[in-house]
Amino acid sequence: MPRAQGLIEMAGSAPMLEFFATDETVALLEAALRAACGAERLPALIALAWHLRERDSVRALALSGEAQELLAGGVWPDLVSRSANARLLLIRGEISCQQTEMEDAARAAQQALAEFEASADAIGRADAHSLRALIAGAQGDEASRDAEYQAVAAAAVRFDPLRLEFAELMLMQSLIFRDVVAGKQRWDQRWQIGAPDYPALAGASAKEMEGLLAGMLGDPGQAILKFIDAHSQALTGGQTLRAVRTAANISIGFKELNDFEAALDWSQRGLSLARRCGLRSATGLALMQTGEIFQRLKRHEAARELLNEGLQMLAGQAESKIYAMALRNLAELDLACGRFELALEALRRVEQKAIALDSPDLLCQARVGQARALLAGGNPAQAIKAATLALEGRRVGTTLRIAALQVMAEILSAHRQLLQQAVTALSPALHYLHMALDIAAEVEGYLVPADLLASLASEYAKAGDHVRAYDISLQAAQALEKTHSQNASKRAIAMQVAHQTERAQAEGEQHRLLALAHAERAASLERANSTLEQLGAIGRDITGNLDAGAIFAALDKHVHTLLDAFSFLIYRLGVDGETVTMLFGMEGGEPLPPVSHKLRPGGPGRRCIAERREVVVESKPGQSVTLPGTVECHSMMFAPLLVGERLLGLMSIQSPRPQAYGEREVAIFRTLCAYGAIALANAEAQAQLIQSEKMASLGQLVANVAHEINTPIGAIKSSGATMVESLADTLAGLPPLLQLLDAPSQALLVDLIEQASRAGMVWSSREERVVVKGLMLALEQAATAQTGVGRAGMDDPRALAILLAQLGLTTLPEALLPLLRHPLRERILQAVQGVSTVVRSAANINIAVERVAKIVFALKSYSRVDNSGELRPTDLVESVETVLTIYQNQLKQGCELIRRYEPDLPLLPCLPDELNQVWTNLIHNALQAMQHQGVLTISIGREAQSLVVSVGDNGCGIPQAIRGRIFDPFFTTKPVGEGSGLGLGIVNKIVDKHRGRIAVESEVGVGSRFAVFLPLD
């Protein structure tokens, strides 16, 4: 809707639909309806039916019927149901009004108004009152019409400037028809405060108003130009009734300028438009207008046929002024043709309608016409009564008053005995003719009709006053000359208007041709067949995909929709330029296995590739054509997949029907191939960019892994060297020492070695000083408690304490004191130190190897690619920890890692290698946002039927202005060369593939949190 998204808002605080819509908006609605299915069609059906109510009433009714069935067959919220039903009532009611079915229209308008009032829908109320105004106008009830437009303005004033402007302009129009001078003053007041800022679609109404003023103030040329502008704007805005009405007014303008050819052209334009759109009342108006022109051209039979048809069309508006005017025109035609009785009957009906309509001008015309018909029919007594009634009526315009006086004079000229009152003139006829002359003299600038002066001269001649008769005949000749001059001036004005119109049309045509030149190829396809109008939307559907499988599926769908294709094949051209490989094949609704083959020299596929054009192959009688791996067919077409000068491959379709592919099918297939080639090239480009992104990420990961592995490898190397050195010394000194020790001492030696080997603590300098001090104090206490030789053996407790600390002892076991007092104490302790060093170095090597093994396992898990496409139950904690292991080096450089994992989480069916990419991108972005200095928070938990993994940081945050674009492919805030903008795009694509979603919370200067929701089912 203008485009259609979900159910249309139907609350009174916002308009349900625009009052009118442009052709572009209607085209969007058509596309939205084609794309929608099921309940989603309801808003598009209602909107399109509403905007077709004047463009195509038959289709509008059909769409309304479908919408009504949807409403009846579904369960809808009460507000939606009531507003939708009310809108459908309005559509049917307005079309009933156009068809002159006034009772149905009034009933629908009343029901719709009640529904809109119940649902507090102000815009709906405005539209219901607008329909009631149309009905009142069609029935000639001007007071009710104005009251309804006032109600429209009151309902729309706070919600829709377009509806408000329409209502105000229609009220202005009523004022102009009642009092043109007052209307002109009111119109000028609108401009005194500046040019009105009309809503776009109200321009037609404003131009129509300017045309009415110009025409009623005696400037038909300017009126025509304004009406032409209004007509053009009305057509593009779907205001067909206004377009027909303005065409009629243009016709009237040209008729006043005596350019009956242009007048007839415009009246027929209006008639053709009204018929095409199925507007009965507008068709009746156009028929009346065209019939009147034929009458002026003395083509009486054609005029009669048109006027009778017009009256039939307007039968439902028999009480309206338009119907009365059509009846008056038919009566004047009968009078001109000598059918006095028919004319008199019609004019009496017009008289009654004029009285009911309170229209003094129409009433005067009816009575003057009756007088002429009665006089011509030989009934002067009744004729003079009718003329007297015309003169006694309410004051009318100058022309009508003069016409009434002239017909009275004409009657009395032949039947002066019928005059019941005395007159001072030479004759009764002269009395009334002079009255007419006096009325003409009262109007400044009014040209006295030549026929009035001629009648006056004739009557003076009859009365014997030839001098006066001669003088007045000279005045009549001058008046006739002035009339001819005026007619010449009018023709010049008509020519000028026609020239201006043609120039404007030529300029418009030039602009149109220039616009068409930019899309000549598309335009030629559209002209070939209306089916090609779908190609724009099809192209967006195909090229909007960046996945090869989705592109193939879209091409397959549209090929089978638009063309006769039993087989559809897509081939990729090999590097040798001769071999093709089937990327996609479908035959009879079943997929084909991929095959490769060389193109046959001189064959259609080879010619398609070589000449880079479409090739159509038709079988000869009794034969068939085929491709490797497909069934025999009678028609085949090939087309190249071209992107610029780059040839990707070719596409082929086949049909069992002979002569299946003509010029139209070739044009369609060419376009589909162009879209397919662009889409496939885009998909390849994106795949390359994604691969580059993966390689860049892999480079960073390899650097991290190398650094992580380097540390334990260094520890292994250092520990190995220490083992070699210690083992050499120990093996040389230990056997002789054991031979010098007795059994108890050997047992104590073994015990001391075990304790020293188990000690793995690495102390700081401060911690070592504390341990040495404690051991020294224990040695002194042990020495104080002993006497004799034993005491002499521990004369240097500090040195002995340092040696024991190096062996890893923190306390002095009493069982070891005999060894410490042994004469070979130093050799014993050196042996213990050597053996324990070897043992501890071996333990360090084991720890380092375990660390390397863990890193290698994580890297293997991360890099594993599962091409099966099958979902595997996966532990998300293990998946995230695999990535964290690889990032361990960066995390140690100044980041604090907080893990918040809920226990006993279920396994998630997923593609684990793809989810590894998600965690890698999110963790990498978080570290960069913090510049590797901050707090990284990883949470894994469950919400309803989803598992949620969130990655949070306290980095720079994401500005609100760009937050909505971070998942767009190629969007990045990093400097050129530091990021492709694909990372989060890949993340979003993978999460969508798992039917999940991503929520982002961010505040500049505080940090960001990305939460990935993955459904369990």
Side-chain angles (χ1 to χ4, degrees):
M1 323 189 87
R3 274 10 143 166
Q5 298 179 359
L7 285 176
I8 297 171
E9 179 65 40
M10 297 185 181
S13 59
M16 171 183 169
L17 294 168
E18 293 293 339
F19 197 41
F20 287 105
T22 62
D23 291 339
E24 291 79 4
T25 300
V26 172
L28 290 175
L29 285 170
E30 294 276 16
L33 183 60
R34 287 195 299 270
C37 59
E40 295 176 354
R41 291 175 60 82
L42 181 62
L45 284 168
I46 293 176
L48 189 56
W50 174 252
H51 291 305
L52 290 179
R53 66 193 190 278
E54 291 189 15
R55 286 179 166 92
D56 186 345
S57 60
V58 174
R59 183 146 183 258
L61 284 175
L63 294 172
S64 298
E66 185 179 345
Q68 196 70 62
E69 290 178 2
L70 269 178
L71 280 170
V75 179
W76 305 89
D78 182 63
L79 185 63
V80 171
S81 177
R82 299 186 73 162
S83 292
N85 276 306
R87 182 62 58 177
L88 294 175
L89 279 169
L90 274 188
I91 295 169
R92 290 192 291 269
E94 188 162 332
I95 293 173
S96 294
C97 181
Q98 296 163 10
Q99 301 303 320
T100 70
E101 298 165 354
M102 294 305 164
E103 290 185 4
D104 292 342
R107 185 164 48 251
Q110 184 59 40
Q111 292 174 359
L113 180 59
E115 289 290 341
F116 284 131
E117 286 177 343
S119 57
D121 187 340
I123 292 303
R125 292 202 311 273
D127 292 347
H129 284 298
S130 180
L131 174 56
R132 286 160 64 98
L134 283 176
I135 296 168
Q139 293 176 332
D141 189 348
E142 299 298 326
S144 296
R145 174 180 178 273
D146 288 354
E148 293 295 343
Y149 278 124
Q150 288 170 355
V152 173
V157 65
R158 290 191 299 118
F159 302 107
D160 184 11
L162 178 61
R163 286 173 168 86
L164 175 62
E165 195 62 46
F166 268 121
E168 291 182 347
L169 288 172
M170 294 308 294
L171 289 169
M172 180 79 70
Q173 186 183 93
S174 294
L175 176 61
I176 290 171
F177 280 126
R178 290 195 304 270
D179 187 340
V180 67
V181 176
K184 180 66 166 58
Q185 291 175 348
R186 179 78 62 82
W187 185 257
D188 290 342
Q189 288 173 3
R190 294 170 66 92
W191 288 83
Q192 288 174 0
I193 58 175
D197 184 17
Y198 292 115
L201 291 171
S205 184
K207 289 297 181 183
E208 183 185 26
M209 202 66 57
E210 293 174 357
L212 284 173
L213 281 170
M216 296 181 74
L217 292 173
D219 189 351
Q222 189 64 22
I224 290 171
L225 292 175
K226 297 294 184 183
F227 283 134
I228 288 175
D229 198 357
H231 178 79
S232 176
Q233 293 187 44
L235 284 177
T236 59
Q239 303 172 50
T240 310
L241 290 174
R242 192 179 307 279
V244 174
R245 191 166 62 239
T246 51
N249 283 325
I250 295 168
S251 175
I252 291 170
F254 277 116
K255 187 171 61 177
E256 289 182 2
L257 295 177
N258 294 325
D259 187 347
F260 293 104
E261 182 179 355
L264 185 58
D265 175 58
W266 275 99
S267 67
Q268 289 180 331
R269 285 193 201 185
L271 178 58
S272 176
L273 178 62
R275 286 191 191 277
R276 185 173 70 247
C277 296
L279 307 178
R280 186 180 181 88
S281 63
T283 301
L285 171 65
L287 285 166
M288 181 189 76
Q289 183 67 34
T290 307
E292 186 178 355
I293 296 170
F294 276 119
Q295 183 179 346
R296 294 284 292 272
L297 293 172
K298 308 299 183 182
R299 295 174 59 181
H300 293 156
E301 289 307 314
R304 184 184 309 282
E305 182 179 344
L306 290 168
L307 289 172
N308 279 323
E309 185 182 357
L311 284 170
Q312 291 176 5
M313 288 286 182
L314 297 170
Q317 297 175 241
E319 305 306 319
S320 67
K321 189 172 183 178
I322 292 176
Y323 185 88
M325 292 169 65
L327 196 58
R328 178 206 61 195
N329 290 347
L330 183 61
E332 290 177 353
L333 178 62
D334 286 332
L335 192 59
C337 294
R339 300 178 179 182
F340 305 126
E341 291 298 326
L342 290 175
L344 186 61
E345 180 184 353
L347 288 166
R348 283 171 177 164
R349 291 173 61 194
V350 173
E351 178 183 23
Q352 296 303 314
K353 293 182 182 300
I355 293 171
L357 291 166
D358 192 24
S359 176
D361 286 356
L362 187 60
L363 181 60
C364 182
Q365 290 173 343
R367 286 170 173 170
V368 168
Q370 288 180 46
R372 294 188 185 281
L374 288 165
L375 179 62
N379 193 345
Q382 293 298 319
I384 202 166
K385 288 182 180 179
T388 301
L389 287 174
L391 290 172
E392 291 176 351
R394 287 161 55 187
R395 187 178 181 85
V396 294
T398 300
T399 301
L400 285 176
R401 290 163 64 196
I402 290 175
L405 290 166
Q406 279 185 282
V407 74
M408 179 65 84
E410 184 181 351
I411 297 168
L412 293 175
S413 176
H415 305 280
R416 60 184 303 168
Q417 74 278 5
L418 296 177
L419 184 65
Q420 301 296 323
Q421 62 187 39
V423 295
T424 57
L426 292 176
S427 70
L430 283 172
H431 171 75
Y432 286 102
L433 290 173
H434 272 290
M435 289 178 64
L437 196 62
D438 293 341
I439 290 171
E442 292 175 359
V443 181
E444 183 178 355
Y446 184 80
L447 179 62
V448 178
D451 64 334
L452 172 60
L453 293 171
S455 297
L456 198 60
S458 176
E459 288 301 321
Y460 271 113
K462 286 182 181 179
D465 190 342
H466 297 289
V467 175
R468 291 287 298 277
Y470 178 72
D471 290 340
I472 294 174
S473 64
L474 290 177
Q475 294 178 33
Q478 291 175 353
L480 187 60
E481 185 177 351
K482 286 182 180 180
T483 300
H484 289 323
S485 177
Q486 277 189 347
N487 288 338
S489 177
K490 288 180 178 180
R491 284 193 294 273
I493 293 172
M495 291 176 64
Q496 181 182 6
V497 169
H499 173 70
Q500 291 178 356
T501 304
E502 288 173 2
R503 184 175 64 185
Q505 289 175 342
E507 290 176 353
E509 181 65 12
Q510 183 180 6
H511 290 308
R512 188 182 70 83
L513 292 176
L514 286 174
L516 287 175
H518 293 295
E520 183 176 353
R521 185 179 183 185
S524 64
L525 291 175
E526 289 177 354
R527 287 192 297 270
N529 193 284
S530 61
T531 308
L532 300 183
E533 294 176 1
Q534 305 173 34
L535 288 177
I538 290 172
R540 289 190 294 274
D541 182 31
I542 295 171
T543 58
N545 294 301
L546 291 174
D547 176 74
I551 295 169
F552 296 152
L555 283 169
D556 182 59
K557 177 182 71 173
H558 295 302
V559 162
H560 284 91
T561 299
L562 297 175
L563 299 167
D564 180 0
F566 181 76
S567 302
F568 172 51
L569 312 167
I570 302 175
Y571 292 99
R572 183 61 191 258
L573 183 65
V575 293
D576 60 359
E578 297 180 353
T579 303
V580 291
T581 301
M582 185 193 299
L583 300 178
F584 177 85
M586 191 68 68
E587 188 170 71
E590 297 295 329
L592 293 174
V595 295
S596 296
H597 66 276
K598 278 199 172 186
L599 295 171
R600 180 169 53 86
R606 178 68 68 89
R607 282 193 290 126
C608 173
I609 293 295
E611 299 172 14
R612 300 196 171 195
R613 65 175 180 85
E614 299 77 26
V615 174
V616 176
V617 180
E618 295 291 345
S619 65
K620 296 178 181 179
Q623 297 180 355
S624 60
V625 292
T626 184
L627 281 176
T630 65
V631 300
E632 294 182 351
C633 288
H634 291 285
S635 298
M636 184 184 300
M637 178 161 50
F638 296 84
L641 288 168
L642 279 169
V643 181
E645 295 300 318
R646 182 184 172 203
L647 182 62
L648 302 180
L650 57 85
M651 289 184 3
S652 175
I653 54 175
Q654 302 174 49
S655 170
R657 184 169 57 88
Q659 307 295 323
Y661 305 129
E663 182 179 347
R664 166 187 172 273
E665 288 74 21
V666 170
I668 293 174
F669 198 52
R670 179 190 304 129
T671 305
L672 292 175
C673 285
Y675 288 141
I678 292 170
L680 290 172
N682 289 342
E684 289 183 2
Q686 193 209 33
Q688 292 172 0
L689 285 170
I690 290 174
Q691 185 63 27
S692 298
E693 179 82 5
K694 289 182 177 179
M695 292 303 295
S697 299
L698 184 59
Q700 292 178 341
L701 293 176
V702 167
N704 291 336
V705 171
H707 191 283
E708 278 296 296
I709 292 178
N710 189 54
T711 299
I713 291 298
I716 292 171
K717 181 178 180 181
S718 175
S719 298
T722 302
M723 285 177 66
V724 171
E725 182 181 347
S726 297
L727 191 58
D729 294 339
T730 303
L731 289 176
L734 186 59
L737 176 62
L738 291 174
Q739 291 177 0
L740 297 175
L741 297 177
D742 56 14
S745 296
Q746 288 181 6
L748 289 174
L749 174 62
V750 172
D751 187 41
L752 182 57
I753 289 173
E754 289 181 356
Q755 292 190 49
S757 299
R758 287 197 299 269
M761 183 67 69
V762 178
W763 296 316
S764 64
S765 298
R766 181 176 177 278
E767 290 173 333
E768 186 177 2
R769 288 196 299 272
V770 172
V771 171
V772 169
K773 185 177 180 181
L775 289 172
M776 189 173 63
L777 179 60
L779 289 170
E780 288 176 350
Q781 290 174 353
T784 303
Q786 300 294 325
T787 59
V789 178
R791 177 179 175 83
M794 291 189 289
D795 288 338
D796 189 1
R798 177 172 177 77
L800 187 55
I802 291 174
L803 184 58
L804 291 173
Q806 290 174 353
L807 292 175
L809 297 178
T810 58
T811 61
L812 184 62
E814 187 176 348
L816 297 179
L817 288 177
L819 280 181
L820 300 180
R821 299 190 185 100
H822 199 283
L824 299 175
R825 177 186 62 206
E826 291 185 3
R827 290 180 63 184
I828 292 171
L829 293 178
Q830 288 175 357
V832 171
Q833 186 177 26
V835 173
S836 64
T837 298
V838 171
V839 174
R840 285 202 298 270
S841 294
N844 289 339
I845 290 173
N846 286 335
I847 292 170
V849 169
E850 288 177 2
R851 178 63 183 156
V852 171
K854 182 177 179 183
I855 294 171
V856 171
F857 176 78
L859 187 59
K860 286 175 64 180
S861 298
Y862 179 82
S863 61
R864 181 177 59 241
V865 177
D866 182 2
N867 291 320
S868 68
E870 296 181 0
L871 302 181
R872 292 194 293 111
T874 301
D875 184 344
L876 287 190
V877 172
E878 182 180 318
S879 176
V880 172
E881 283 297 320
T882 296
V883 177
L884 288 175
T885 299
I886 296 173
Y887 274 97
Q888 190 63 37
N889 177 57
Q890 295 188 30
L891 293 172
K892 292 190 303 187
Q893 302 303 315
C895 289
E896 178 186 352
L897 175 61
I898 299 176
R899 294 177 172 89
R900 295 173 179 164
Y901 301 161
E902 287 186 17
D904 302 325
L905 291 173
L907 300 181
L908 177 75
C910 66
L911 301 172
D913 53 314
E914 294 194 4
L915 287 186
N916 281 344
Q917 287 184 264
V918 174
W919 318 138
T920 300
N921 276 291
L922 294 181
I923 292 172
H924 178 71
N925 288 349
L927 292 173
Q928 285 193 327
M930 300 186 297
Q931 297 181 348
H932 302 277
Q933 300 288 325
V935 179
L936 177 67
T937 304
I938 310 289
S939 301
I940 306 176
R942 179 170 181 170
E943 288 189 16
Q945 293 303 310
S946 296
L947 293 185
V948 185
V949 178
S950 67
V951 179
D953 63 72
N954 61 345
C956 58
I958 305 171
Q960 179 69 36
I962 65 170
R963 205 170 297 164
R965 301 177 58 198
I966 59 176
F967 293 108
D968 293 348
F970 310 109
F971 176 77
T972 180
T973 59
K974 299 173 185 175
V976 176
E978 291 189 18
S980 66
L982 286 171
L984 286 179
I986 295 171
V987 166
N988 196 40
K989 186 176 180 181
I990 293 172
V991 173
D992 282 343
K993 190 174 181 179
H994 286 78
R995 297 181 297 107
R997 62 183 179 89
I998 306 176
V1000 182
E1001 299 174 1
S1002 186
E1003 184 176 347
V1004 175
V1006 176
S1008 304
R1009 177 177 173 269
F1010 286 75
V1012 179
F1013 293 79
L1014 299 168
L1016 285 164
D1017 53 353

